[in-house]
Amino acid sequence: MSLGSVMIDIAGTELTDVDIERLMDPLVAGVILFSRNFESVEQLQKLTQSIHNLRHPKLLIAVDHEGGRVQRFRQGFTKLPDMRSLGELYKQDVNHSFQVAEKLGWLLAAELLAVGVDFSFAPVVDLDYGGSKVIGDRAFHSDPVAVGLLASHVMKGMHSAGMASVAKHFPGHGFIEADTHYEVAEDKRSFNDIQQHDMQPFLRLMENGLDAVMPAHVIYSQVDKAPAGFSEFWLQKVLRQQCHFEGAVISDDMSMQAATAYGSPSERVQKALQAGCDLVLVCNDSVAADEVLAHVRWQPNALSHARLIRLHAHGRYHYDKLHYDPQWQAAVTVINKLTQQQDQQALL
């Protein structure tokens, strides 16, 4: 059995018969976990093990675990600062910011790998233009060079732990105010403007071994009428041909408001796959997931399959032993200091 082309979610903290039936569908390649799927480290380990035991090759398990306000698992995991804090550190001491970024990437990855999660949808490499509702402090910096450098060091830390990296949201979500979870988003800038600014961090990461890209549900109306995740221009001509990117392309959630104008759930998934996505997310809507599994007919090609296989975890850590690891202790000390500084600044 090969990996399919869709990643879905589950309702609770353990697999139900309905979950298992969906996950055994050949179209499914993996599971994305949310806060509702987490009660404790022990429970999470049992859940991920039960998912991995279902099929061979194993289903992928992913999570949005960036740091700051986007960290799905809390108790038993180190509290990670938002990426803006690394940008602030960069302004004070460039070399130190790189060291901290690498430690953060390793720590993020090692703790997730220790509970059976394959990868996080990180890092965010959108630029901080100051007005975005959904990006905000998830962005490292407003300067493309700073973002590219800091994100590359986070990615280096993730790689050293054995975790794949997913840069988002291509070609750049930071300029617009709209939150694509709840509204349609349009960026009216020229291709040249986007290429010279927002795309630069993505290009730097690609040069350093980026594993996957998540396109934005944003319409760049001067370039194409479809959002990037539904656009052959962005995914085929720009990402594959111009940028020579050979990693996986993973869509944002097809249930987000900015995606719902593009047909039924199955039609959206089909359009995203045809545009060039290797893996399509269908989350937080079980009716949509069932409709997709019933109607989408798509056989991933060997290249897509190989790209997804490379997203499997390459590092193994024992959670109970991780806290005795000197590398973990050193990373936690540094990250806790940064988080405390950030918390203190928030009170001022």
Side-chain angles (χ1 to χ4, degrees), residues 164-330:
S165 52
V166 184
K168 58 188 187 185
H169 306 82
F170 182 83
H173 200 313
F175 185 78
I176 57 165
E177 293 186 13
D179 182 345
T180 49
H181 291 88
Y182 307 110
E183 51 196 323
V184 173
E186 181 182 359
D187 188 331
K188 298 181 180 180
R189 292 177 300 159
S190 69
F191 176 77
N192 186 64
D193 194 1
I194 297 165
Q195 183 183 47
Q196 294 302 315
H197 297 92
D198 301 61
M199 282 176 56
Q200 291 304 307
F202 290 95
L203 295 174
R204 182 177 288 275
L205 265 64
M206 290 175 198
E207 292 173 354
N208 289 283
L210 178 64
D211 305 283
V213 162
M214 176 178 284
H217 280 328
V218 175
I219 301 168
Y220 303 89
S221 55
Q222 295 298 312
V223 183
D224 192 10
K225 62 182 180 180
F230 295 98
S231 168
E232 289 188 27
F233 176 84
W234 282 112
L235 302 186
Q236 300 293 338
K237 186 172 182 179
V238 177
L239 193 55
R240 294 296 188 202
Q241 296 174 23
Q242 294 183 12
C243 299
H244 306 290
F245 181 60
E246 297 180 353
V249 178
I250 305 175
S251 85
D252 213 336
D253 181 14
M254 288 292 120
S255 299
M256 290 165 61
Q257 186 63 36
T260 57
Y262 294 87
S264 67
S266 59
E267 288 170 338
R268 286 174 239 156
V269 169
Q270 199 79 34
K271 288 175 181 177
L273 291 168
Q274 289 171 345
C277 289
D278 298 295
L279 183 65
V280 179
L281 296 183
V282 183
C283 317
N284 299 310
D285 188 340
S286 59
V287 174
D290 286 337
E291 197 265 350
V292 167
L293 298 183
H295 293 99
V296 172
R297 295 292 176 264
W298 187 270
Q299 180 62 42
N301 59 41
L303 196 52
S304 282
H305 178 69
R307 291 170 184 149
L308 296 182
I309 286 291
R310 289 197 291 269
L311 300 179
H312 281 287
H314 297 291
R316 294 182 62 86
Y317 299 88
H318 193 289
Y319 180 85
D320 294 332
K321 296 178 180 178
L322 186 62
H323 294 189
Y324 299 99
D325 186 329
Q327 188 173 2
W328 181 88
Q329 293 171 350

Side-chain angles (χ1 to χ4, degrees), residues 48-70:
T48 57
Q49 187 63 51
S50 65
I51 294 169
H52 279 149
N53 285 344
L54 285 177
R55 285 169 46 179
H56 182 78
K58 294 178 181 178
L59 291 165
L60 291 162
I61 301 177
V63 66
D64 285 309
H65 200 84
E66 307 165 7
R69 56 195 162 96
V70 184

Side-chain angles (χ1 to χ4, degrees), residues 156-169:
K156 183 178 180 182
M158 294 169 70
H159 283 172
S160 68
M163 178 174 283
S165 52
V166 184
K168 58 188 187 185
H169 306 82

Side-chain angles (χ1 to χ4, degrees), residues 121-162:
F121 290 106
V124 171
V125 297
D126 301 309
L127 304 186
D128 184 6
Y129 285 94
S132 173
K133 297 177 184 176
V134 69
I135 302 302
D137 58 12
R138 296 165 69 190
F140 290 96
H141 204 286
S142 59
D143 178 11
V145 174
V147 173
L149 290 168
L150 288 167
S152 290
H153 282 279
V154 170
M155 182 176 73
K156 183 178 180 182
M158 294 169 70
H159 283 172
S160 68

